[in-house]
Amino acid sequence: MSLLSLQGVEASYGPAQALFGVSLEIGEGEVVALMGRNGMGKSTTIKTICGMLAASKGELTFDGHDLRQLPSHRIARLGVGLVPEGRRCFAPLTVEENLIAAARPGPWDMARVAELFPRLEERRTQAAGSLSGGEQQMLTIGRALMTNPRLLILDEATEGLAPVVRQEIWAAIARLKREAGLSILVVDKSLKELAAVADRAVILNKGSNAWEGRIAELPADVAVRFLGV
């Protein structure tokens, strides 16, 4: 049984339909990449999973719970942790305050997050707004981990970061897969890095499934057509 299952999900922004029957499965401990050009429905799919946008049709379940019937805070309490696009730290709060703001009991605590991202321990008493972009991204990932999720969703977690910081984030994702056994849904554009961590990839095109499989088996013509690479 899949931890997360989307079957034929449709969703709209008012009269404008954005998802046209999206299907997606993530098992326990599995890492799945969600890919596609900009505007193809990736972030909309994440919003629908997290209850920020209502699904108008289809089935959407997490650990057997019907997510279509639940508000966002209930979905989070089931064990869905989101690292949103654009970081969105609580800028006036310190690093420590950001981390404990949504903390829930479990194996992820301040010490474990600091082990994954040592720079957060060094900046513990600094205001989040004073951190670099890369440090803010580490903080946002750490904050999501402090909710002790069963599924971690990363929406463009490396976008706009310096190459050296991007590699730190990818190394952390690989470690989460290897050591924590988390289920992860990751949205990103980097085929090379995704291929190293993802078990499977799902490509969306105009709000519909266009391809699914192992990234290593992605045909070149499909990559060019749907990813532009």
Side-chain angles (χ1 to χ4, degrees):
M1 177 178 169
S2 298
L3 179 63
L4 176 73
S5 176
L6 283 70
Q7 297 295 329
V9 170
E10 298 184 8
S12 302
Y13 295 99
Q17 188 168 348
L19 299 183
F20 299 83
V22 169
S23 295
L24 174 70
E25 302 274 344
I26 302 178
E28 292 276 6
E30 188 177 29
V31 179
V32 175
L34 184 61
M35 306 179 71
R37 296 176 188 266
N38 291 340
M40 293 297 108
K42 304 184 301 296
S43 290
T44 300
T45 298
I46 289 174
K47 289 178 181 178
T48 306
I49 293 169
C50 295
M52 293 179 282
L53 181 67
S56 56
K57 288 185 180 178
E59 297 179 3
L60 179 55
T61 61
F62 179 79
D63 194 25
H65 297 272
D66 183 0
L67 298 188
R68 292 184 59 185
Q69 306 301 317
L70 298 176
S72 294
H73 69 276
R74 291 279 304 280
I75 293 172
R77 285 189 172 275
L78 287 177
V80 178
L82 173 63
V83 178
E85 186 177 11
R87 297 183 277 277
R88 303 183 194 177
C89 298
F90 302 123
L93 302 184
T94 67
V95 167
E96 182 174 9
E97 288 167 341
N98 267 270
L99 290 174
I100 65 176
R104 298 182 65 209
W108 284 98
D109 55 16
M110 291 284 296
R112 193 171 181 189
V113 169
E115 183 185 1
L116 183 66
F117 294 123
R119 268 195 265 182
L120 295 183
E121 177 62 27
E122 297 170 8
R123 308 285 193 271
R124 189 168 183 154
T125 60
Q126 277 187 232
S130 70
L131 303 180
S132 69
E135 290 166 345
Q136 288 185 16
Q137 189 62 278
M138 294 174 191
L139 178 57
T140 308
I141 295 172
R143 185 179 63 192
L145 290 171
M146 288 284 284
T147 69
N148 279 283
R150 296 179 63 190
L151 170 66
L152 182 66
I153 300 176
L154 299 155
D155 191 1
E156 301 284 8
T158 68
E159 186 175 29
L161 301 180
V164 65
V165 179
R166 285 170 55 87
Q167 290 309 310
E168 286 187 58
I169 300 294
W170 283 115
I173 294 171
R175 185 174 175 185
L176 289 173
K177 176 184 180 180
R178 184 175 63 251
E179 299 179 7
L182 272 177
S183 297
I184 301 174
L185 178 62
V186 55
V187 174
D188 207 278
K189 298 179 178 67
S190 178
L191 278 173
K192 179 181 177 182
E193 280 79 10
L194 285 172
V197 298
D199 299 294
R200 292 183 295 109
V202 174
I203 297 177
L204 299 184
N205 183 58
K206 297 180 180 178
S208 300
N209 288 62
W211 185 86
E212 181 175 355
R214 291 169 51 84
I215 295 179
E217 299 168 355
L218 176 64
D221 61 326
V222 173
V224 170
R225 182 179 178 186
F226 297 119
L227 302 177
V229 296

